Amino acid sequence: MFSKNDLVLELEKTLVDGFDVNKISKVAFEIYQEHGLELPSSLDRALLVLMAMEEGKEFELSEAEFLELILEIRSM
């Protein structure tokens, strides 16, 4: 089962080469496709926010907002 800790680790890995909205969105989409049915609705919402980032500037999170979301996921 894919846990919130697994999600946090995968999201943190996206930062290895720097903050990249498209990379984060792609990883979020892949996680959603593979594990979406296993995730509670709170994590589902977080992934949807991240997937939407590539839809336009108005949906993009800043790096600080992204890190805040990771902290929020950890505390769920």
PDB file of all heavy atoms in Angstrom, residues 40-70:
ATOM      1  N   PRO A  40      -6.241   8.154   0.707  1.00  0.00           N
ATOM      2  CA  PRO A  40      -7.387   8.831   1.322  1.00  0.00           C
ATOM      3  C   PRO A  40      -7.670  10.138   0.576  1.00  0.00           C
ATOM      4  O   PRO A  40      -6.808  10.665  -0.140  1.00  0.00           O
ATOM      5  CB  PRO A  40      -6.927   9.094   2.759  1.00  0.00           C
ATOM      6  CG  PRO A  40      -5.460   9.000   2.739  1.00  0.00           C
ATOM      7  CD  PRO A  40      -5.088   8.109   1.585  1.00  0.00           C
ATOM      8  N   SER A  41      -8.861  10.674   0.739  1.00  0.00           N
ATOM      9  CA  SER A  41      -9.273  11.853  -0.012  1.00  0.00           C
ATOM     10  C   SER A  41      -8.376  13.063   0.233  1.00  0.00           C
ATOM     11  O   SER A  41      -8.180  13.882  -0.664  1.00  0.00           O
ATOM     12  CB  SER A  41     -10.731  12.203   0.286  1.00  0.00           C
ATOM     13  OG  SER A  41     -10.890  12.494   1.656  1.00  0.00           O
ATOM     14  N   SER A  42      -7.802  13.188   1.416  1.00  0.00           N
ATOM     15  CA  SER A  42      -6.923  14.325   1.698  1.00  0.00           C
ATOM     16  C   SER A  42      -5.671  14.280   0.818  1.00  0.00           C
ATOM     17  O   SER A  42      -5.228  15.308   0.303  1.00  0.00           O
ATOM     18  CB  SER A  42      -6.543  14.361   3.171  1.00  0.00           C
ATOM     19  OG  SER A  42      -5.937  13.144   3.554  1.00  0.00           O
ATOM     20  N   LEU A  43      -5.104  13.110   0.631  1.00  0.00           N
ATOM     21  CA  LEU A  43      -3.932  12.974  -0.234  1.00  0.00           C
ATOM     22  C   LEU A  43      -4.326  13.094  -1.703  1.00  0.00           C
ATOM     23  O   LEU A  43      -3.575  13.625  -2.513  1.00  0.00           O
ATOM     24  CB  LEU A  43      -3.222  11.642   0.013  1.00  0.00           C
ATOM     25  CG  LEU A  43      -2.589  11.465   1.391  1.00  0.00           C
ATOM     26  CD1 LEU A  43      -1.898  10.113   1.485  1.00  0.00           C
ATOM     27  CD2 LEU A  43      -1.631  12.580   1.716  1.00  0.00           C
ATOM     28  N   ASP A  44      -5.499  12.631  -2.017  1.00  0.00           N
ATOM     29  CA  ASP A  44      -6.040  12.744  -3.363  1.00  0.00           C
ATOM     30  C   ASP A  44      -6.122  14.224  -3.754  1.00  0.00           C
ATOM     31  O   ASP A  44      -5.700  14.620  -4.829  1.00  0.00           O
ATOM     32  CB  ASP A  44      -7.420  12.082  -3.400  1.00  0.00           C
ATOM     33  CG  ASP A  44      -8.005  11.992  -4.778  1.00  0.00           C
ATOM     34  OD1 ASP A  44      -7.405  11.304  -5.625  1.00  0.00           O
ATOM     35  OD2 ASP A  44      -9.061  12.608  -5.001  1.00  0.00           O
ATOM     36  N   ARG A  45      -6.611  15.059  -2.849  1.00  0.00           N
ATOM     37  CA  ARG A  45      -6.736  16.494  -3.099  1.00  0.00           C
ATOM     38  C   ARG A  45      -5.366  17.121  -3.335  1.00  0.00           C
ATOM     39  O   ARG A  45      -5.181  17.918  -4.250  1.00  0.00           O
ATOM     40  CB  ARG A  45      -7.429  17.198  -1.933  1.00  0.00           C
ATOM     41  CG  ARG A  45      -7.665  18.679  -2.173  1.00  0.00           C
ATOM     42  CD  ARG A  45      -7.906  19.465  -0.909  1.00  0.00           C
ATOM     43  NE  ARG A  45      -6.793  19.475   0.018  1.00  0.00           N
ATOM     44  CZ  ARG A  45      -5.703  20.239  -0.094  1.00  0.00           C
ATOM     45  NH1 ARG A  45      -5.564  21.050  -1.120  1.00  0.00           N
ATOM     46  NH2 ARG A  45      -4.741  20.196   0.817  1.00  0.00           N
ATOM     47  N   ALA A  46      -4.393  16.748  -2.528  1.00  0.00           N
ATOM     48  CA  ALA A  46      -3.040  17.286  -2.675  1.00  0.00           C
ATOM     49  C   ALA A  46      -2.470  16.930  -4.049  1.00  0.00           C
ATOM     50  O   ALA A  46      -1.860  17.780  -4.711  1.00  0.00           O
ATOM     51  CB  ALA A  46      -2.141  16.764  -1.562  1.00  0.00           C
ATOM     52  N   LEU A  47      -2.664  15.703  -4.482  1.00  0.00           N
ATOM     53  CA  LEU A  47      -2.168  15.294  -5.798  1.00  0.00           C
ATOM     54  C   LEU A  47      -2.870  16.055  -6.921  1.00  0.00           C
ATOM     55  O   LEU A  47      -2.243  16.441  -7.901  1.00  0.00           O
ATOM     56  CB  LEU A  47      -2.336  13.786  -5.997  1.00  0.00           C
ATOM     57  CG  LEU A  47      -1.320  12.917  -5.287  1.00  0.00           C
ATOM     58  CD1 LEU A  47      -1.671  11.441  -5.469  1.00  0.00           C
ATOM     59  CD2 LEU A  47       0.089  13.182  -5.791  1.00  0.00           C
ATOM     60  N   LEU A  48      -4.158  16.282  -6.767  1.00  0.00           N
ATOM     61  CA  LEU A  48      -4.892  17.035  -7.789  1.00  0.00           C
ATOM     62  C   LEU A  48      -4.365  18.463  -7.909  1.00  0.00           C
ATOM     63  O   LEU A  48      -4.242  18.995  -9.014  1.00  0.00           O
ATOM     64  CB  LEU A  48      -6.393  17.034  -7.483  1.00  0.00           C
ATOM     65  CG  LEU A  48      -7.086  15.682  -7.639  1.00  0.00           C
ATOM     66  CD1 LEU A  48      -8.524  15.760  -7.157  1.00  0.00           C
ATOM     67  CD2 LEU A  48      -7.021  15.191  -9.072  1.00  0.00           C
ATOM     68  N   VAL A  49      -4.032  19.073  -6.776  1.00  0.00           N
ATOM     69  CA  VAL A  49      -3.450  20.415  -6.782  1.00  0.00           C
ATOM     70  C   VAL A  49      -2.130  20.398  -7.543  1.00  0.00           C
ATOM     71  O   VAL A  49      -1.861  21.280  -8.373  1.00  0.00           O
ATOM     72  CB  VAL A  49      -3.246  20.931  -5.335  1.00  0.00           C
ATOM     73  CG1 VAL A  49      -2.352  22.156  -5.299  1.00  0.00           C
ATOM     74  CG2 VAL A  49      -4.587  21.232  -4.676  1.00  0.00           C
ATOM     75  N   LEU A  50      -1.311  19.404  -7.276  1.00  0.00           N
ATOM     76  CA  LEU A  50      -0.005  19.309  -7.935  1.00  0.00           C
ATOM     77  C   LEU A  50      -0.139  18.998  -9.426  1.00  0.00           C
ATOM     78  O   LEU A  50       0.607  19.536 -10.248  1.00  0.00           O
ATOM     79  CB  LEU A  50       0.859  18.258  -7.246  1.00  0.00           C
ATOM     80  CG  LEU A  50       1.232  18.593  -5.796  1.00  0.00           C
ATOM     81  CD1 LEU A  50       1.945  17.414  -5.147  1.00  0.00           C
ATOM     82  CD2 LEU A  50       2.073  19.853  -5.729  1.00  0.00           C
ATOM     83  N   MET A  51      -1.072  18.142  -9.784  1.00  0.00           N
ATOM     84  CA  MET A  51      -1.270  17.811 -11.199  1.00  0.00           C
ATOM     85  C   MET A  51      -1.744  19.023 -11.983  1.00  0.00           C
ATOM     86  O   MET A  51      -1.377  19.199 -13.141  1.00  0.00           O
ATOM     87  CB  MET A  51      -2.277  16.667 -11.354  1.00  0.00           C
ATOM     88  CG  MET A  51      -1.742  15.338 -10.911  1.00  0.00           C
ATOM     89  SD  MET A  51      -2.823  13.935 -11.273  1.00  0.00           S
ATOM     90  CE  MET A  51      -4.342  14.365 -10.483  1.00  0.00           C
ATOM     91  N   ALA A  52      -2.539  19.871 -11.353  1.00  0.00           N
ATOM     92  CA  ALA A  52      -3.090  21.048 -12.031  1.00  0.00           C
ATOM     93  C   ALA A  52      -2.033  22.108 -12.328  1.00  0.00           C
ATOM     94  O   ALA A  52      -2.269  22.990 -13.164  1.00  0.00           O
ATOM     95  CB  ALA A  52      -4.205  21.649 -11.193  1.00  0.00           C
ATOM     96  N   MET A  53      -0.882  22.024 -11.708  1.00  0.00           N
ATOM     97  CA  MET A  53       0.132  23.064 -11.877  1.00  0.00           C
ATOM     98  C   MET A  53       0.564  23.253 -13.324  1.00  0.00           C
ATOM     99  O   MET A  53       0.904  24.354 -13.730  1.00  0.00           O
ATOM    100  CB  MET A  53       1.361  22.791 -10.999  1.00  0.00           C
ATOM    101  CG  MET A  53       1.107  22.991  -9.541  1.00  0.00           C
ATOM    102  SD  MET A  53       2.598  23.202  -8.544  1.00  0.00           S
ATOM    103  CE  MET A  53       3.647  21.870  -9.035  1.00  0.00           C
ATOM    104  N   GLU A  54       0.537  22.212 -14.120  1.00  0.00           N
ATOM    105  CA  GLU A  54       0.974  22.369 -15.506  1.00  0.00           C
ATOM    106  C   GLU A  54      -0.129  22.928 -16.406  1.00  0.00           C
ATOM    107  O   GLU A  54       0.086  23.145 -17.589  1.00  0.00           O
ATOM    108  CB  GLU A  54       1.519  21.051 -16.061  1.00  0.00           C
ATOM    109  CG  GLU A  54       0.512  19.983 -16.307  1.00  0.00           C
ATOM    110  CD  GLU A  54       1.142  18.729 -16.909  1.00  0.00           C
ATOM    111  OE1 GLU A  54       2.370  18.682 -17.057  1.00  0.00           O
ATOM    112  OE2 GLU A  54       0.391  17.812 -17.228  1.00  0.00           O
ATOM    113  N   GLU A  55      -1.282  23.210 -15.821  1.00  0.00           N
ATOM    114  CA  GLU A  55      -2.399  23.752 -16.603  1.00  0.00           C
ATOM    115  C   GLU A  55      -2.308  25.262 -16.806  1.00  0.00           C
ATOM    116  O   GLU A  55      -3.095  25.835 -17.545  1.00  0.00           O
ATOM    117  CB  GLU A  55      -3.738  23.391 -15.934  1.00  0.00           C
ATOM    118  CG  GLU A  55      -4.011  21.908 -15.884  1.00  0.00           C
ATOM    119  CD  GLU A  55      -4.050  21.251 -17.254  1.00  0.00           C
ATOM    120  OE1 GLU A  55      -4.576  21.868 -18.214  1.00  0.00           O
ATOM    121  OE2 GLU A  55      -3.533  20.130 -17.380  1.00  0.00           O
ATOM    122  N   GLY A  56      -1.381  25.907 -16.112  1.00  0.00           N
ATOM    123  CA  GLY A  56      -1.221  27.342 -16.307  1.00  0.00           C
ATOM    124  C   GLY A  56      -0.641  28.003 -15.075  1.00  0.00           C
ATOM    125  O   GLY A  56      -0.669  27.456 -13.976  1.00  0.00           O
ATOM    126  N   LYS A  57      -0.117  29.194 -15.281  1.00  0.00           N
ATOM    127  CA  LYS A  57       0.531  29.944 -14.202  1.00  0.00           C
ATOM    128  C   LYS A  57      -0.390  30.152 -13.001  1.00  0.00           C
ATOM    129  O   LYS A  57       0.065  30.175 -11.862  1.00  0.00           O
ATOM    130  CB  LYS A  57       1.004  31.309 -14.712  1.00  0.00           C
ATOM    131  CG  LYS A  57       2.126  31.231 -15.695  1.00  0.00           C
ATOM    132  CD  LYS A  57       3.437  31.112 -14.984  1.00  0.00           C
ATOM    133  CE  LYS A  57       4.579  31.166 -15.993  1.00  0.00           C
ATOM    134  NZ  LYS A  57       5.788  30.610 -15.455  1.00  0.00           N
ATOM    135  N   GLU A  58      -1.668  30.329 -13.270  1.00  0.00           N
ATOM    136  CA  GLU A  58      -2.614  30.594 -12.172  1.00  0.00           C
ATOM    137  C   GLU A  58      -2.773  29.398 -11.232  1.00  0.00           C
ATOM    138  O   GLU A  58      -3.268  29.543 -10.119  1.00  0.00           O
ATOM    139  CB  GLU A  58      -3.978  31.036 -12.710  1.00  0.00           C
ATOM    140  CG  GLU A  58      -4.745  29.984 -13.490  1.00  0.00           C
ATOM    141  CD  GLU A  58      -4.429  29.935 -14.978  1.00  0.00           C
ATOM    142  OE1 GLU A  58      -3.380  30.418 -15.423  1.00  0.00           O
ATOM    143  OE2 GLU A  58      -5.274  29.374 -15.712  1.00  0.00           O
ATOM    144  N   PHE A  59      -2.332  28.219 -11.659  1.00  0.00           N
ATOM    145  CA  PHE A  59      -2.439  27.019 -10.838  1.00  0.00           C
ATOM    146  C   PHE A  59      -1.106  26.605 -10.196  1.00  0.00           C
ATOM    147  O   PHE A  59      -1.071  25.699  -9.381  1.00  0.00           O
ATOM    148  CB  PHE A  59      -2.962  25.836 -11.673  1.00  0.00           C
ATOM    149  CG  PHE A  59      -4.329  26.076 -12.239  1.00  0.00           C
ATOM    150  CD1 PHE A  59      -4.489  26.288 -13.599  1.00  0.00           C
ATOM    151  CD2 PHE A  59      -5.442  26.105 -11.418  1.00  0.00           C
ATOM    152  CE1 PHE A  59      -5.749  26.515 -14.136  1.00  0.00           C
ATOM    153  CE2 PHE A  59      -6.701  26.331 -11.942  1.00  0.00           C
ATOM    154  CZ  PHE A  59      -6.857  26.544 -13.299  1.00  0.00           C
ATOM    155  N   GLU A  60      -0.039  27.263 -10.596  1.00  0.00           N
ATOM    156  CA  GLU A  60       1.285  26.886 -10.108  1.00  0.00           C
ATOM    157  C   GLU A  60       1.493  27.293  -8.657  1.00  0.00           C
ATOM    158  O   GLU A  60       1.096  28.379  -8.245  1.00  0.00           O
ATOM    159  CB  GLU A  60       2.380  27.546 -10.954  1.00  0.00           C
ATOM    160  CG  GLU A  60       2.493  26.973 -12.333  1.00  0.00           C
ATOM    161  CD  GLU A  60       3.606  27.607 -13.141  1.00  0.00           C
ATOM    162  OE1 GLU A  60       4.436  28.353 -12.567  1.00  0.00           O
ATOM    163  OE2 GLU A  60       3.639  27.369 -14.352  1.00  0.00           O
ATOM    164  N   LEU A  61       2.117  26.393  -7.904  1.00  0.00           N
ATOM    165  CA  LEU A  61       2.555  26.710  -6.555  1.00  0.00           C
ATOM    166  C   LEU A  61       3.988  27.220  -6.631  1.00  0.00           C
ATOM    167  O   LEU A  61       4.752  26.787  -7.493  1.00  0.00           O
ATOM    168  CB  LEU A  61       2.534  25.459  -5.665  1.00  0.00           C
ATOM    169  CG  LEU A  61       1.202  24.754  -5.438  1.00  0.00           C
ATOM    170  CD1 LEU A  61       1.424  23.534  -4.546  1.00  0.00           C
ATOM    171  CD2 LEU A  61       0.182  25.676  -4.834  1.00  0.00           C
ATOM    172  N   SER A  62       4.325  28.110  -5.728  1.00  0.00           N
ATOM    173  CA  SER A  62       5.725  28.519  -5.621  1.00  0.00           C
ATOM    174  C   SER A  62       6.477  27.389  -4.914  1.00  0.00           C
ATOM    175  O   SER A  62       5.862  26.468  -4.355  1.00  0.00           O
ATOM    176  CB  SER A  62       5.844  29.804  -4.816  1.00  0.00           C
ATOM    177  OG  SER A  62       5.467  29.561  -3.468  1.00  0.00           O
ATOM    178  N   GLU A  63       7.791  27.477  -4.906  1.00  0.00           N
ATOM    179  CA  GLU A  63       8.563  26.459  -4.211  1.00  0.00           C
ATOM    180  C   GLU A  63       8.201  26.443  -2.723  1.00  0.00           C
ATOM    181  O   GLU A  63       8.063  25.374  -2.130  1.00  0.00           O
ATOM    182  CB  GLU A  63      10.060  26.694  -4.394  1.00  0.00           C
ATOM    183  CG  GLU A  63      10.907  25.597  -3.791  1.00  0.00           C
ATOM    184  CD  GLU A  63      12.383  25.721  -4.123  1.00  0.00           C
ATOM    185  OE1 GLU A  63      12.783  26.685  -4.806  1.00  0.00           O
ATOM    186  OE2 GLU A  63      13.147  24.835  -3.708  1.00  0.00           O
ATOM    187  N   ALA A  64       8.017  27.611  -2.129  1.00  0.00           N
ATOM    188  CA  ALA A  64       7.648  27.690  -0.710  1.00  0.00           C
ATOM    189  C   ALA A  64       6.279  27.049  -0.463  1.00  0.00           C
ATOM    190  O   ALA A  64       6.089  26.324   0.521  1.00  0.00           O
ATOM    191  CB  ALA A  64       7.645  29.141  -0.244  1.00  0.00           C
ATOM    192  N   GLU A  65       5.332  27.286  -1.355  1.00  0.00           N
ATOM    193  CA  GLU A  65       3.997  26.683  -1.222  1.00  0.00           C
ATOM    194  C   GLU A  65       4.070  25.169  -1.391  1.00  0.00           C
ATOM    195  O   GLU A  65       3.359  24.431  -0.708  1.00  0.00           O
ATOM    196  CB  GLU A  65       3.036  27.284  -2.253  1.00  0.00           C
ATOM    197  CG  GLU A  65       2.690  28.725  -1.980  1.00  0.00           C
ATOM    198  CD  GLU A  65       1.953  29.380  -3.132  1.00  0.00           C
ATOM    199  OE1 GLU A  65       2.254  29.070  -4.319  1.00  0.00           O
ATOM    200  OE2 GLU A  65       1.082  30.227  -2.854  1.00  0.00           O
ATOM    201  N   PHE A  66       4.917  24.709  -2.305  1.00  0.00           N
ATOM    202  CA  PHE A  66       5.105  23.273  -2.510  1.00  0.00           C
ATOM    203  C   PHE A  66       5.664  22.626  -1.248  1.00  0.00           C
ATOM    204  O   PHE A  66       5.171  21.591  -0.797  1.00  0.00           O
ATOM    205  CB  PHE A  66       6.028  23.037  -3.713  1.00  0.00           C
ATOM    206  CG  PHE A  66       6.375  21.596  -3.944  1.00  0.00           C
ATOM    207  CD1 PHE A  66       5.404  20.676  -4.318  1.00  0.00           C
ATOM    208  CD2 PHE A  66       7.676  21.158  -3.801  1.00  0.00           C
ATOM    209  CE1 PHE A  66       5.730  19.343  -4.537  1.00  0.00           C
ATOM    210  CE2 PHE A  66       8.020  19.830  -4.026  1.00  0.00           C
ATOM    211  CZ  PHE A  66       7.033  18.927  -4.394  1.00  0.00           C
ATOM    212  N   LEU A  67       6.683  23.240  -0.659  1.00  0.00           N
ATOM    213  CA  LEU A  67       7.273  22.705   0.572  1.00  0.00           C
ATOM    214  C   LEU A  67       6.267  22.731   1.720  1.00  0.00           C
ATOM    215  O   LEU A  67       6.223  21.810   2.540  1.00  0.00           O
ATOM    216  CB  LEU A  67       8.533  23.489   0.933  1.00  0.00           C
ATOM    217  CG  LEU A  67       9.686  23.346  -0.055  1.00  0.00           C
ATOM    218  CD1 LEU A  67      10.813  24.296   0.304  1.00  0.00           C
ATOM    219  CD2 LEU A  67      10.171  21.914  -0.140  1.00  0.00           C
ATOM    220  N   GLU A  68       5.433  23.758   1.753  1.00  0.00           N
ATOM    221  CA  GLU A  68       4.375  23.836   2.764  1.00  0.00           C
ATOM    222  C   GLU A  68       3.368  22.700   2.578  1.00  0.00           C
ATOM    223  O   GLU A  68       2.901  22.103   3.552  1.00  0.00           O
ATOM    224  CB  GLU A  68       3.679  25.193   2.671  1.00  0.00           C
ATOM    225  CG  GLU A  68       2.698  25.458   3.776  1.00  0.00           C
ATOM    226  CD  GLU A  68       2.123  26.865   3.684  1.00  0.00           C
ATOM    227  OE1 GLU A  68       2.889  27.824   3.545  1.00  0.00           O
ATOM    228  OE2 GLU A  68       0.880  26.978   3.748  1.00  0.00           O
ATOM    229  N   LEU A  69       3.042  22.398   1.331  1.00  0.00           N
ATOM    230  CA  LEU A  69       2.124  21.285   1.049  1.00  0.00           C
ATOM    231  C   LEU A  69       2.721  19.957   1.494  1.00  0.00           C
ATOM    232  O   LEU A  69       2.026  19.122   2.055  1.00  0.00           O
ATOM    233  CB  LEU A  69       1.769  21.249  -0.434  1.00  0.00           C
ATOM    234  CG  LEU A  69       0.807  20.156  -0.888  1.00  0.00           C
ATOM    235  CD1 LEU A  69      -0.540  20.282  -0.167  1.00  0.00           C
ATOM    236  CD2 LEU A  69       0.600  20.181  -2.378  1.00  0.00           C
ATOM    237  N   ILE A  70       4.017  19.779   1.289  1.00  0.00           N
ATOM    238  CA  ILE A  70       4.682  18.552   1.756  1.00  0.00           C
ATOM    239  C   ILE A  70       4.571  18.442   3.274  1.00  0.00           C
ATOM    240  O   ILE A  70       4.257  17.382   3.808  1.00  0.00           O
ATOM    241  CB  ILE A  70       6.150  18.513   1.282  1.00  0.00           C
ATOM    242  CG1 ILE A  70       6.213  18.242  -0.211  1.00  0.00           C
ATOM    243  CG2 ILE A  70       6.927  17.429   2.035  1.00  0.00           C
ATOM    244  CD1 ILE A  70       7.606  18.277  -0.805  1.00  0.00           C
TER     245      ILE A  70
END
